[in-house]
Amino acid sequence: MADGPSRRQATLFRLRAQLRKKRESLADQFDFKMYLIILFKDPKKVPALFEIAEVVPVMTNNYEESILRGVKEEAYSLESSLELLEKDVVQFHAPRYQSMRKDVIGCTQEMDFFLWPRNDIESLKCLLFSKWKGDPDDGYKPLKADFDYNHVDYERQLVRLLGRRDKTGLIINNPAQSMFMFVDRQHLQTSKSKAIVFKLSSLCLYLPQDQLTHWGPGTVDELLAPYLH
């Protein structure tokens, strides 16, 4: 008699085979929640927490051209990018969010976060949760994946984009290539000077499809509690 893990793997194998026939992905069988956390260098400063308004899972590598353009600009290596593009990867797109600060009446808005130049951010972090569709008794569980982007890594890539003429559609990613940020390059005019600033306009998380059922312990409320003050 097969043990629990073996039965689960066999079930997932059959499900994937059925989905391939229907030209669907395993991600279509889940509902998702995503949260963006901005952590600051000052430990006394409350993290900025945002709930993504709608998580859009996509199986195809729609941003292959942008990723390979990043290779050309030496933002990351060709070998690592080709490896990523060849994987059976799910993209989780996040264009809109809502602040979860208790002292702010939040409303859903297009992502427009001032990212650089500033020296108070330590890192950006995303938490991704999922549950089976159509199961009212199934709660959201955290996926066991790291989506972290340290300020040192994204600042280095943004500096390389200073000379670009493009104003929108610029893309950078963390070293693990699990978290991609789409940024807009804008000119900020003051009475004394003119500066270039970068704003976060959209997020995209990358997760191999075979990790969609790798859940960790805890609930949404439990894992967000440390960031709510």
Side-chain angles (χ1 to χ4, degrees):
M1 186 174 181
D3 57 14
S6 297
R7 287 197 302 271
R8 184 173 64 227
Q9 290 299 324
T11 301
L12 288 174
F13 179 81
R14 289 195 298 271
L15 179 58
R16 290 193 184 101
Q18 294 171 4
L19 292 173
R20 278 195 295 269
K21 292 180 181 179
K22 296 179 181 179
R23 294 187 179 181
E24 295 178 355
S25 74
L26 183 59
D28 294 325
Q29 306 304 308
F30 297 95
D31 290 322
F32 297 93
K33 281 183 178 290
M34 186 194 303
Y35 298 87
L36 169 64
I37 304 159
I38 314 292
L39 298 168
F40 298 100
K41 295 177 181 178
D42 183 353
K44 296 180 181 179
K45 190 170 183 178
V46 177
L49 177 61
F50 300 89
E51 180 175 8
I52 304 305
E54 181 183 10
V55 183
V56 183
V58 179
M59 274 301 300
T60 56
N61 278 305
N62 292 339
Y63 292 98
E64 179 175 354
E65 182 180 347
S66 297
I67 293 171
L68 294 180
R69 188 167 65 235
V71 174
K72 185 177 180 180
E73 294 161 2
E74 299 181 351
Y76 31 90
S77 72
L78 174 62
E79 291 77 12
S80 61
S81 295
L82 289 177
E83 181 182 352
L84 175 68
L85 292 170
E86 289 170 358
K87 287 181 179 179
D88 199 9
V89 171
V90 184
Q91 303 172 7
F92 296 94
H93 294 273
R96 301 192 305 150
Y97 61 10
Q98 176 177 326
S99 174
M100 293 187 67
R101 281 181 55 180
K102 293 181 179 180
D103 59 339
V104 174
I105 299 177
C107 62
T108 300
Q109 62 186 37
E110 298 297 320
M111 202 170 285
D112 184 33
F113 186 83
F114 174 48
L115 194 61
W116 187 88
R118 57 189 296 173
N119 59 12
D120 61 335
I121 296 178
E122 177 63 30
S123 64
L124 282 75
K125 178 184 183 71
C126 283
L127 298 178
L128 185 63
F129 300 82
S130 69
K131 72 180 185 69
W132 290 101
K133 280 185 176 178
D135 187 350
D137 298 323
D138 188 27
Y140 282 95
K141 301 182 288 290
L143 284 162
K144 294 173 65 176
D146 293 324
F147 304 105
D148 299 293
Y149 207 162
N150 189 273
H151 74 97
V152 174
D153 296 314
Y154 72 71
E155 286 173 357
R156 181 166 52 241
Q157 294 184 55
L158 290 175
V159 168
R160 291 177 178 172
L161 297 178
L162 284 174
R164 287 284 300 273
R165 294 184 179 180
D166 309 58
K167 294 183 178 179
T168 61
L170 301 171
I171 180 172
I172 58 177
N173 64 275
N174 66 345
Q177 297 194 28
S178 62
M179 185 173 175
F180 287 73
M181 297 198 302
F182 297 87
V183 296
D184 292 340
R185 177 178 177 274
Q186 301 178 4
H187 288 281
L188 183 64
Q189 183 72 52
T190 66
S191 58
K192 296 182 179 181
S193 63
K194 186 177 183 180
I196 295 176
V197 302
F198 288 100
K199 288 190 174 183
L200 177 63
S201 62
S202 182
L203 273 174
C204 180
L205 305 184
Y206 270 46
L207 184 71
Q209 185 173 229
D210 59 8
Q211 294 183 24
L212 284 172
T213 53
H214 292 186
W215 290 293
T219 65
V220 173
D221 290 342
E222 289 171 350
L223 294 179
L224 292 185
Y227 310 107
L228 288 169
H229 297 278

